[in-house]
Short mmCIF file of all heavy atoms in Angstrom, two decimals:
data_model
loop_
_atom_site.label_atom_id
_atom_site.label_comp_id
_atom_site.label_asym_id
_atom_site.label_seq_id
_atom_site.Cartn_x
_atom_site.Cartn_y
_atom_site.Cartn_z
N ALA A 230 -9.36 -22.70 -28.91
CA ALA A 230 -8.17 -22.69 -28.05
C ALA A 230 -8.20 -21.50 -27.11
O ALA A 230 -7.85 -21.62 -25.92
CB ALA A 230 -6.92 -22.69 -28.92
N SER A 232 -10.88 -19.90 -26.10
CA SER A 232 -11.95 -20.10 -25.11
C SER A 232 -11.49 -21.07 -24.02
O SER A 232 -11.78 -20.87 -22.82
CB SER A 232 -13.20 -20.65 -25.79
OG SER A 232 -13.67 -19.75 -26.76
N ILE A 264 -7.60 -23.01 2.80
CA ILE A 264 -8.36 -21.89 3.30
C ILE A 264 -9.69 -21.84 2.55
O ILE A 264 -9.74 -22.20 1.36
CB ILE A 264 -7.57 -20.55 3.14
CG1 ILE A 264 -8.30 -19.40 3.84
CG2 ILE A 264 -7.28 -20.24 1.67
CD1 ILE A 264 -7.44 -18.15 4.00
N PRO A 270 -25.11 -14.33 4.08
CA PRO A 270 -26.26 -13.65 3.48
C PRO A 270 -25.98 -12.25 3.00
O PRO A 270 -26.46 -11.83 1.92
CB PRO A 270 -27.32 -13.69 4.58
CG PRO A 270 -26.94 -14.87 5.44
CD PRO A 270 -25.44 -14.89 5.40
N SER A 298 -15.04 -7.20 0.65
CA SER A 298 -14.96 -6.06 -0.30
C SER A 298 -13.96 -5.01 0.15
O SER A 298 -13.44 -4.28 -0.69
CB SER A 298 -16.31 -5.43 -0.49
OG SER A 298 -16.75 -4.68 0.65
N ALA A 313 -9.04 6.60 -17.57
CA ALA A 313 -7.62 6.55 -17.24
C ALA A 313 -7.42 6.63 -15.72
O ALA A 313 -6.62 5.88 -15.16
CB ALA A 313 -6.88 7.70 -17.93
N SER A 334 -10.60 -11.20 19.52
CA SER A 334 -12.03 -11.06 19.70
C SER A 334 -12.81 -11.37 18.45
O SER A 334 -14.04 -11.60 18.49
CB SER A 334 -12.35 -9.61 20.13
OG SER A 334 -12.08 -8.69 19.08
N TYR A 386 0.98 -18.85 1.99
CA TYR A 386 0.50 -18.10 0.82
C TYR A 386 -0.56 -18.92 0.08
O TYR A 386 -0.53 -20.16 0.10
CB TYR A 386 1.67 -17.82 -0.13
CG TYR A 386 2.90 -17.29 0.56
CD1 TYR A 386 3.93 -18.13 0.94
CD2 TYR A 386 3.00 -15.93 0.89
CE1 TYR A 386 5.05 -17.65 1.60
CE2 TYR A 386 4.10 -15.43 1.56
CZ TYR A 386 5.12 -16.30 1.92
OH TYR A 386 6.22 -15.81 2.58
N SER A 399 -15.40 -6.93 -10.52
CA SER A 399 -16.43 -6.46 -11.40
C SER A 399 -17.67 -5.97 -10.64
O SER A 399 -18.30 -4.98 -11.02
CB SER A 399 -16.83 -7.54 -12.40
OG SER A 399 -15.77 -7.89 -13.26
N SER A 412 -3.69 -4.59 -16.59
CA SER A 412 -2.94 -3.74 -15.67
C SER A 412 -2.97 -4.28 -14.21
O SER A 412 -2.11 -3.89 -13.42
CB SER A 412 -3.52 -2.30 -15.67
OG SER A 412 -4.86 -2.29 -15.25
N GLU A 414 -2.93 -7.65 -13.38
CA GLU A 414 -2.43 -9.02 -13.21
C GLU A 414 -0.92 -9.11 -13.33
O GLU A 414 -0.37 -10.13 -12.88
CB GLU A 414 -3.09 -9.93 -14.24
CG GLU A 414 -4.56 -10.16 -13.95
CD GLU A 414 -5.17 -11.24 -14.83
OE1 GLU A 414 -4.45 -11.83 -15.64
OE2 GLU A 414 -6.39 -11.46 -14.70
N GLU A 424 3.12 8.51 -18.43
CA GLU A 424 2.82 9.51 -19.45
C GLU A 424 1.31 9.72 -19.63
O GLU A 424 0.88 10.38 -20.56
CB GLU A 424 3.44 9.12 -20.81
CG GLU A 424 4.96 9.09 -20.75
CD GLU A 424 5.60 8.76 -22.09
OE1 GLU A 424 4.84 8.41 -23.03
OE2 GLU A 424 6.82 8.83 -22.18
N VAL A 500 8.84 -10.79 -4.55
CA VAL A 500 8.35 -11.57 -5.68
C VAL A 500 7.32 -12.60 -5.20
O VAL A 500 7.16 -12.86 -3.98
CB VAL A 500 9.51 -12.29 -6.39
CG1 VAL A 500 10.52 -11.28 -6.94
CG2 VAL A 500 10.23 -13.29 -5.45
N ALA A 524 7.36 24.46 -2.61
CA ALA A 524 6.15 23.72 -2.22
C ALA A 524 4.94 24.63 -2.28
O ALA A 524 5.04 25.85 -2.08
CB ALA A 524 6.29 23.15 -0.82
N ALA A 526 0.69 24.78 -1.13
CA ALA A 526 -0.39 24.23 -0.33
C ALA A 526 -1.73 24.75 -0.86
O ALA A 526 -1.85 25.91 -1.23
CB ALA A 526 -0.23 24.60 1.11
N ILE A 529 -8.66 22.11 -0.07
CA ILE A 529 -9.53 21.45 -1.07
C ILE A 529 -10.75 20.84 -0.37
O ILE A 529 -10.79 20.63 0.82
CB ILE A 529 -8.75 20.33 -1.79
CG1 ILE A 529 -8.31 19.23 -0.80
CG2 ILE A 529 -7.56 20.86 -2.57
CD1 ILE A 529 -7.81 17.97 -1.45
N SER A 536 -15.22 17.25 5.25
CA SER A 536 -14.16 18.06 5.86
C SER A 536 -13.36 18.82 4.82
O SER A 536 -13.16 18.33 3.69
CB SER A 536 -13.22 17.17 6.67
OG SER A 536 -13.91 16.49 7.69
N LEU A 541 -0.85 19.15 -0.86
CA LEU A 541 0.51 19.66 -1.01
C LEU A 541 1.08 19.31 -2.35
O LEU A 541 0.89 18.19 -2.84
CB LEU A 541 1.41 19.10 0.08
CG LEU A 541 1.19 19.60 1.51
CD1 LEU A 541 2.11 18.82 2.46
CD2 LEU A 541 1.44 21.09 1.62
N ASP A 575 4.93 6.15 13.80
CA ASP A 575 3.59 6.26 14.38
C ASP A 575 2.73 7.30 13.66
O ASP A 575 1.58 7.56 14.03
CB ASP A 575 3.65 6.62 15.87
CG ASP A 575 4.25 5.51 16.69
OD1 ASP A 575 4.06 4.34 16.36
OD2 ASP A 575 4.96 5.83 17.70
N PHE A 605 -4.61 10.40 -1.48
CA PHE A 605 -3.82 9.72 -2.50
C PHE A 605 -2.62 10.60 -2.80
O PHE A 605 -2.55 11.76 -2.37
CB PHE A 605 -4.63 9.49 -3.79
CG PHE A 605 -5.02 10.76 -4.53
CD1 PHE A 605 -4.20 11.31 -5.49
CD2 PHE A 605 -6.21 11.40 -4.23
CE1 PHE A 605 -4.54 12.49 -6.15
CE2 PHE A 605 -6.59 12.60 -4.87
CZ PHE A 605 -5.72 13.12 -5.84
N ILE A 616 4.47 9.68 -13.55
CA ILE A 616 5.79 9.04 -13.52
C ILE A 616 5.64 7.74 -12.73
O ILE A 616 5.01 7.74 -11.65
CB ILE A 616 6.84 9.95 -12.91
CG1 ILE A 616 7.06 11.20 -13.75
CG2 ILE A 616 8.17 9.20 -12.68
CD1 ILE A 616 7.96 12.23 -13.10
N LYS A 620 9.47 2.10 -10.57
CA LYS A 620 10.57 1.71 -11.43
C LYS A 620 11.50 2.86 -11.79
O LYS A 620 12.73 2.67 -11.87
CB LYS A 620 10.02 1.09 -12.72
CG LYS A 620 9.30 -0.21 -12.55
CD LYS A 620 10.27 -1.32 -12.08
CE LYS A 620 11.21 -1.77 -13.15
NZ LYS A 620 12.04 -2.90 -12.75
N LEU A 627 5.27 7.02 1.83
CA LEU A 627 5.55 8.30 2.52
C LEU A 627 5.06 8.25 3.98
O LEU A 627 4.22 7.44 4.33
CB LEU A 627 4.91 9.46 1.77
CG LEU A 627 3.42 9.49 1.56
CD1 LEU A 627 2.66 10.03 2.77
CD2 LEU A 627 3.05 10.36 0.35
N LEU A 639 4.86 20.56 9.14
CA LEU A 639 4.49 19.22 8.70
C LEU A 639 5.70 18.50 8.17
O LEU A 639 6.39 18.95 7.24
CB LEU A 639 3.42 19.32 7.61
CG LEU A 639 2.83 18.01 7.09
CD1 LEU A 639 2.06 17.29 8.16
CD2 LEU A 639 1.92 18.29 5.89
#
Side-chain angles (χ1 to χ4, degrees):
S232 298
I264 187 167
S298 73
S334 68
Y386 312 97
S399 296
S412 62
E414 291 189 1
E424 297 182 353
V500 300
I529 62 168
S536 300
L541 289 176
D575 293 327
F605 67 89
I616 296 173
K620 293 294 289 184
L627 59 82
L639 183 65

